[in-house]
Amino acid sequence: MSDARNQARAVLEGPDIHRALTRIAHEILERTKGAQSVVLLGIPTRGATLARRIAERIAQFEGVKVPVGAIDITMYRDDLRMRPARPLGRTELPAEGVDGRTVVLVDDVLYSGRTVRAALDALNDVGRPRAVQLATLVDRGHRELPIRADYVGKNLPTSKTEKVKVFLEETDGRDAVVLIREDAARDTQHSGDSKEDAR
Amino acid sequence: MKSHLISAGDLSRDDALLILDTAEELARVSERSIKKLPTLRGRTVVNLFFEDSTRTRISFEAAAKRLSADVINFSAKGSSVSKGESLKDTALTLEAMGADAVVIRHPASGAPHRLATWVRGSVVNAGDGTHEHPTQALLDAFSMRRRLGRLEGLKVAVVGDVLHSRVARSNVLLLHTLGAEVTLVAPPTLLPVSVETWPCQVSYDLDAVLPKSDVVMMLRVQLERMNAAYFPSAREYSRRYGLDRDRFARLHDDAIVMHPGPMNRGMEISAEVADSRRSTVTEQVANGVTVRMAVLYLLLGGSEPAIGGAE
């Protein structure tokens, strides 16, 4: 790979991600007064991993066992007709359900806000939470819908021509958030996070 | 670009696994109180049935409705127009209605294939003559995988009227693609002429095959398609090829019994076996909806189909 195309830059390394998730866990505990009746729902694939990590930290800090699950949003996307049908992710709701609880949606990157809108629709079909909040590891701006995160790991100013890719130990063998410039982005598209490509 | 599901043989291993995995996720939707997804909003699915069917038609209808598609049921039974013409006329009508998918059941083998050349939408074969019934094979494979946890290396016996069975042909093709080993068991008169070219084993002796099988799929004896004497008497058929209590006892403990329905109780399967816990007959019906949802989603859910042969 030539230097001109090799413009991927790690903006968060393992310890940074670790600290960001620790802070988010503390903030959730603070904002929800001890995370009673909180349910963490991650958006597959990496949001689901992040939700599990946050739940582990909450359990560690205050001994509260927060129900964790995943909610797949593929069937609720607004851009389904723009690309071939995609494989579905896994939806796993905790046995307690979401009715009357505070659901914290967890995603890796917040960008246009369309994924979160789809998640709100999906959530509507599985129950009626008392409140819904949003946690994201990276907020890269460029919102296209009136959506805002309640818990943010890192605000990352980006250009629309850049891509943000999140790597997590559980799925990718390492922890990192990488910012990729457009010309380099083209090369990594195939291996990249499909959720990013879709935007 | 358009794509159809006409033969189970059109599906690559990856296509077939994508359908089964998608169905696995969709099965969870059937468990919740709101069993509807907005995915196919604004798409039209036409059920075009030239032949009697309860479960397949209802199953496709439920699948399309759960994905929010508009469903038009077109029952062409009783049409007096000659077959070829009426099919083409019907196709033109469907074109005018803007059908995104046509689900067709027809007594003539090859009708869906023909239809596919006349309409713009995707054609899904819901059973054509004695040719194929691919979504039945998919739901059978799905049911096997859910019960037994795998398909690779499974030993599947398909027993009975193979000659008239579109289910058998589709199952042989699909299960072969997915790595299972199929043995067809039938009297020689109920096997098609070219059966030696199919990717499977053939046996005339049910008792020899049973103890080695993980899955026993009983086929319906299709009396309505039989215009000649294929076996001496129903009683003799039942004694040699029917699954009764004694034969059932010879299956190994984890083996399952399947039947695509409708069953002739007392003929190819005894009531006791059909209602046992190791029979998947009712599961197959429930799984049918999920698998058909997966097929419709993968054909219609995106800008272009994710499965099947392009045409």
Side-chain angles (χ1 to χ4, degrees):
Chain A
M1 200 184 268
S2 73
D3 280 351
R5 288 156 76 202
N6 191 9
Q7 297 190 42
R9 181 165 60 88
V11 285
L12 291 183
E13 302 282 4
D16 304 320
I17 292 175
H18 185 90
R19 278 191 286 271
L21 292 177
T22 300
R23 180 170 48 75
I24 288 174
H26 279 300
E27 283 176 3
I28 291 174
L29 279 164
E30 195 182 341
R31 288 269 297 277
T32 60
K33 308 215 175 343
Q36 302 298 331
S37 84
V38 163
V39 174
L40 293 171
L41 286 184
I43 298 171
T45 323
R46 290 178 185 77
T49 308
L50 292 172
R52 278 194 296 275
R53 288 199 194 175
I54 293 170
E56 278 165 24
R57 283 170 169 75
I58 289 176
Q60 203 180 314
F61 302 150
E62 304 224 340
V64 188
K65 214 170 150 7
V66 177
V68 198
I71 187 154
D72 181 50
I73 56 111
T74 312
M75 304 292 263
Y76 294 87
R77 301 192 71 100
D78 60 6
D79 59 352
L80 280 172
R81 293 191 183 190
M82 291 157 72
R83 305 193 351 163
R86 293 157 239 237
L88 304 183
R90 168 78 30 117
T91 293
E92 258 166 323
L93 295 176
E96 296 88 338
V98 298
D99 289 341
R101 291 172 172 265
T102 299
V103 170
V104 180
L105 290 171
V106 184
D107 201 2
D108 51 356
V109 181
L110 178 59
Y111 184 17
S112 64
R114 287 172 192 271
T115 302
V116 177
R117 186 214 55 85
L120 291 171
D121 280 358
L123 201 51
N124 197 33
D125 280 357
V126 297
R128 185 183 183 280
R130 193 177 60 76
V132 183
Q133 300 180 342
L134 174 62
T136 181
L137 181 58
V138 175
D139 181 349
R140 60 168 294 191
H142 304 290
R143 213 76 77 242
E144 293 164 7
L145 294 168
I147 280 166
R148 175 186 57 79
D150 299 272
Y151 313 102
V152 180
K154 183 174 176 60
N155 281 300
L156 186 64
T158 58
S159 132
K160 278 193 168 184
T161 57
E162 291 167 321
K163 279 185 182 295
V164 177
K165 225 180 118 35
V166 174
F167 297 92
L168 294 175
E169 193 75 47
E170 294 88 333
T171 43
D172 314 295
R174 66 173 173 131
D175 273 5
V177 175
V178 178
L179 189 64
I180 305 165
R181 292 296 259 291
E182 188 202 30
D183 39 359
R186 221 173 285 136
D187 293 334
T188 52
Q189 226 167 31
H190 298 295
S191 59
D193 182 349
S194 63
K195 218 158 40 187
E196 277 307 290
D197 293 346
R199 289 194 174 116
Chain B
M1 176 184 163
K2 62 177 177 178
S3 180
H4 313 291
L5 181 58
I6 290 172
S7 162
D10 294 342
L11 295 171
S12 68
R13 193 182 149 78
D14 285 349
D15 283 344
L17 288 174
L18 177 61
I19 296 172
L20 299 187
D21 292 344
T22 304
E24 196 66 56
E25 300 305 330
L26 289 171
R28 291 154 187 269
V29 175
S30 311
E31 289 160 13
R32 50 188 224 196
S33 59
I34 299 176
K35 299 178 178 59
K36 213 170 169 79
L37 293 162
T39 317
L40 297 185
R41 219 148 43 95
R43 306 260 181 172
T44 303
V45 175
V46 175
N47 283 329
L48 184 59
F49 278 68
F50 290 88
E51 209 183 60
D52 292 340
S53 162
T54 319
R55 71 200 72 216
T56 306
R57 191 180 56 75
I58 291 176
S59 181
F60 267 109
E61 187 171 348
K65 284 182 170 168
R66 283 191 186 171
L67 290 171
S68 303
D70 294 322
V71 181
I72 298 174
N73 286 314
F74 195 117
S75 177
K77 200 174 187 316
S79 164
S80 58
V81 194
S82 75
K83 207 175 280 166
E85 262 182 5
S86 84
L87 186 59
K88 180 152 195 185
D89 281 347
T90 312
L92 297 176
T93 312
L94 300 179
E95 269 305 276
M97 287 194 283
D100 295 294
V102 182
V103 176
I104 177 174
R105 151 90 39 119
H106 201 285
S109 303
H113 182 76
R114 204 82 184 87
L115 183 71
T117 61
W118 292 324
V119 296
R120 254 193 304 262
S122 295
V123 173
V124 180
N125 183 358
D128 60 332
T130 58
H131 178 225
E132 284 227 38
H133 193 354
T135 57
Q136 177 72 40
L138 285 163
L139 78 88
D140 288 339
F142 182 72
S143 304
M144 287 176 212
R145 199 175 72 163
R146 280 209 127 183
R147 274 281 186 119
L148 301 169
R150 69 196 165 100
L151 289 167
E152 191 81 49
L154 272 192
K155 295 196 165 31
V156 182
V158 178
V159 186
D161 186 359
V162 177
L163 180 65
H164 297 101
S165 176
R166 47 199 177 206
V167 176
R169 186 192 303 261
S170 289
N171 259 299
V172 167
L173 294 172
L174 183 73
L175 289 171
H176 174 72
T177 305
L178 291 169
E181 296 163 29
V182 183
T183 306
L184 296 174
V185 186
T189 49
L190 285 178
L191 285 166
V193 184
S194 59
V195 73
E196 69 279 358
T197 63
W198 294 20
C200 63
Q201 307 283 311
V202 176
S203 168
Y204 305 134
D205 185 359
L206 180 57
D207 291 311
V209 174
L210 277 184
K212 293 180 288 190
S213 304
D214 302 306
V215 178
V216 181
M217 185 184 298
M218 303 307 295
L219 299 173
R220 186 170 64 91
V221 176
Q222 304 199 24
L223 296 166
E224 78 276 16
R225 289 190 211 277
M226 292 193 182
N227 41 19
Y230 290 97
F231 43 78
S233 72
R235 196 173 136 77
E236 177 165 341
Y237 177 86
S238 184
R239 271 190 32 212
R240 292 201 55 188
Y241 294 98
L243 190 61
D244 55 18
R245 191 199 317 177
D246 294 344
R247 287 212 170 90
F248 186 60
R250 261 173 271 153
L251 286 169
H252 73 71
D253 291 345
D254 299 325
I256 56 169
V257 176
M258 308 183 75
H259 194 297
M263 293 183 280
N264 297 317
R265 285 172 186 255
M267 179 87 168
E268 70 266 3
I269 189 165
S270 76
E272 196 182 344
V273 175
D275 299 331
S276 84
R277 270 190 299 121
R278 281 154 65 192
S279 142
T280 63
V281 177
T282 48
E283 265 164 69
Q284 282 170 269
V285 177
N287 290 341
V289 178
T290 350
V291 165
R292 287 171 179 124
M293 282 172 79
V295 167
L296 290 174
Y297 165 65
L298 293 169
L299 285 176
L300 304 179
S303 56
E304 54 188 63
I307 50 161
E311 197 143 318

